[in-house]
């Protein structure tokens, strides 16, 4: 599933933008003149001021949507949304909402809060879309946002909840292709993964008759189960302790079989005080988000120690602890609203410091792997699952978490990152879960609400209640 890139338009985009607009109304020459005149500052809507912008949504280099806006004095507003359009086949996929938030950030940067938009009274879908995104009726033709920056302003509690939702939806969507190669993904899903591929609650076709467990569409795995266990331990103790975490982990039931040695050995020992001395997989990293929720990013030592406490019941390897530290630090930083680059730097530093404090038998390498995967993804002209799988297939510890952190810091949508991971295969649910959680914290509205509705219906996690209990504890 190709990702969507959002960027500012250039004059070279005018022809493509005119085709998008003309598909609904008018001719391409008309729109070429209108759009180019608007962008060049030669066409002036009533009461408009010079500052203006056009943003586009591009899928594999092909423009699929646009939004335009400018500062204004119309109706006593600060800004006006001039055009918003998405090609018909890509509507209702979140692109329009993402474009609207992109423009809202531009207005925010220009100190504009009160924003108006002209919508034909007969255009019920458009009016419903704007009202859904907090616009209010101004008069029969116009709607207004009293403060459009509310679309891009979230509380810490909002980010914590979106983080948990991103984890659970990524886990469930990604489970559909877990362990599959790229070729097998396309064999089972010839059109790729676009969400939940089948009726929610039915058995995923490839798991029909599976002796260990018949996984259902929308069901979450041990990744989410153990994340919730860590959260419950923190809520109970108001602290991060491997003993209380171990106690909660022993209550988990999913994926406890000899094939997963780290979990099997822990459950066989049945000792919450147990400290693992081996295992370098990503099992600790996929459950460590509540540690990043509990500690703010400036409490770096606590984050490192907490990540190790959350890991040591089942994972004692240096790489596993470094992966957990990097993930916890990235989640914490994402909630504190830094740039993607800062989230990456915090994750890399946490991994490097963890490897220094708790070294393994080999030279430190995890932080370097995180950096290398990120740089590779950043250089790609487009994020295509096949290209990513060819260079950093998430099938071993040095690619699983680094890929998740890379996707989380080069993308701006939890939904899109989850789809990329699901269409790659291998340890798709872990990558989708970690990336979905971090991006959910950074961009809360990019967690697909329909997917989350399925996940909550199937699993009854009540993540809202868990988030509400965790949020006041963050310090």
């Amino acid at each position: 599933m190709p990702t969507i890139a959002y960027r500012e338009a250039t004059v070279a985009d005018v022809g493509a933008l005119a085709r998008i607009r003309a598909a609904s109304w008018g001719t391409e020459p008309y729109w070429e003149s209108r759009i180019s005149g608007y962008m060049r500052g030669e066409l002036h809507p009533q009461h408009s001021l010079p500052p203006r912008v056009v943003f586009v949504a591009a899928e594999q280099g092909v423009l699929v949507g646009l939004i335009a806006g400018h500062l204004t004095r119309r109706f006593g507003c600060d800004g006006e949304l001039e055009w918003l359009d998405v090609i018909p086949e890509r509507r209702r996929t979140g692109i329009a909402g993402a474009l609207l938030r992109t423009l809202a950030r531009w207005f925010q940067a220009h100190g504009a809060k009160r924003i108006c938009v002209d919508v034909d009274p007969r255009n019920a879908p458009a009016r419903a879309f704007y009202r859904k995104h907090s616009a209010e009726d101004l008069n029969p033709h116009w709607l207004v946002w009293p403060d459009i920056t509310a679309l891009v302003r979230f509380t810490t509690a909002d980010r914590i909840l979106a983080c948990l939702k991103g984890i659970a939806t990524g886990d469930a969507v990604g489970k559909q292709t877990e362990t599959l190669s790229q070729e097998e993904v396309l064999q089972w899903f010839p059109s790729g993964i676009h969400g939940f591929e089948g009726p929610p609650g039915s058995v995923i076709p490839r798991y029909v008759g599976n002796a260990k467990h018949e996984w259902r569409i929308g069901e979450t795995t041990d990744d989410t189960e153990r994340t919730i266990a860590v959260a419950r331990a923190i809520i109970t103790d108001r602290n991060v302790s491997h003993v209380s975490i171990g106690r909660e982990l022993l209550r988990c039931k999913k994926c406890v079989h000899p094939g997963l040695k780290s979990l099997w050995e822990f459950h066989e020992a049945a000792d919450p005080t147990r400290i693992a001395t081996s295992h370098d997989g990503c099992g600790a990293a996929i459950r460590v988000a509540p540690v990043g929720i509990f500690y703010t990013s400036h409490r770096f030592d606590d984050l490192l120690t907490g990540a190790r406490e959350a890991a040591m019941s089942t994972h004692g390897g240096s790489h596993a602890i470094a992966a957990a530290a990097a993930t916890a630090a990235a989640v914490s930083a994402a909630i504190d609203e830094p740039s993607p680059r800062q989230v990456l730097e915090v994750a890399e530093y946490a991994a490097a410091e963890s490897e220094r404090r708790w070294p393994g038998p080999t030279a430190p390498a995890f932080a370097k792997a995180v950096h290398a995967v990120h740089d590779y993804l950043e250089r790609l002209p487009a994020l295509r699952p096949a290209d990513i799988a060819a260079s950093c297939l998430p099938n071993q510890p040095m690619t699983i978490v680094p890929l998740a952190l890379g996707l989380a810091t080069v993308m701006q949508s939890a939904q899109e990152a989850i789809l990329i991971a699901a269409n790659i295969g291998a340890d798709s649910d872990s990558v989708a879960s970690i990336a979905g959680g971090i991006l959910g914290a950074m961009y809360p509205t990019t967690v697909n609400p329909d997917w989350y509705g399925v996940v909550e219906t199937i699993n009854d996690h009540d993540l809202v209640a868990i988030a509400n209990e965790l949020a006041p504890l963050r310090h």
Side-chain angles (χ1 to χ4, degrees), residues 431-448:
V431 174
S433 182
I434 293 170
I438 295 168
L439 284 164
M442 295 175 73
Y443 310 105
T445 58
T446 67
V447 178
N448 187 301

Side-chain angles (χ1 to χ4, degrees), residues 64 137 154 159 171 179 181-182 238-239 282 306 309 380-381 398 466 473:
V64 296
D137 290 339
F154 303 99
R159 295 179 184 278
D171 184 19
T179 73
S181 67
Q182 263 283 284
R238 304 301 199 263
N239 193 14
C282 68
E309 289 286 317
L380 291 174
M398 298 305 285
I466 294 170
L473 303 180

Side-chain angles (χ1 to χ4, degrees), residues 109-129:
H110 286 76
K113 293 184 177 181
R114 183 175 170 84
I115 309 300
C116 55
V117 60
D118 182 11
V119 188
D120 189 321
R122 296 167 295 181
N123 192 343
R127 299 183 76 86
F129 169 80

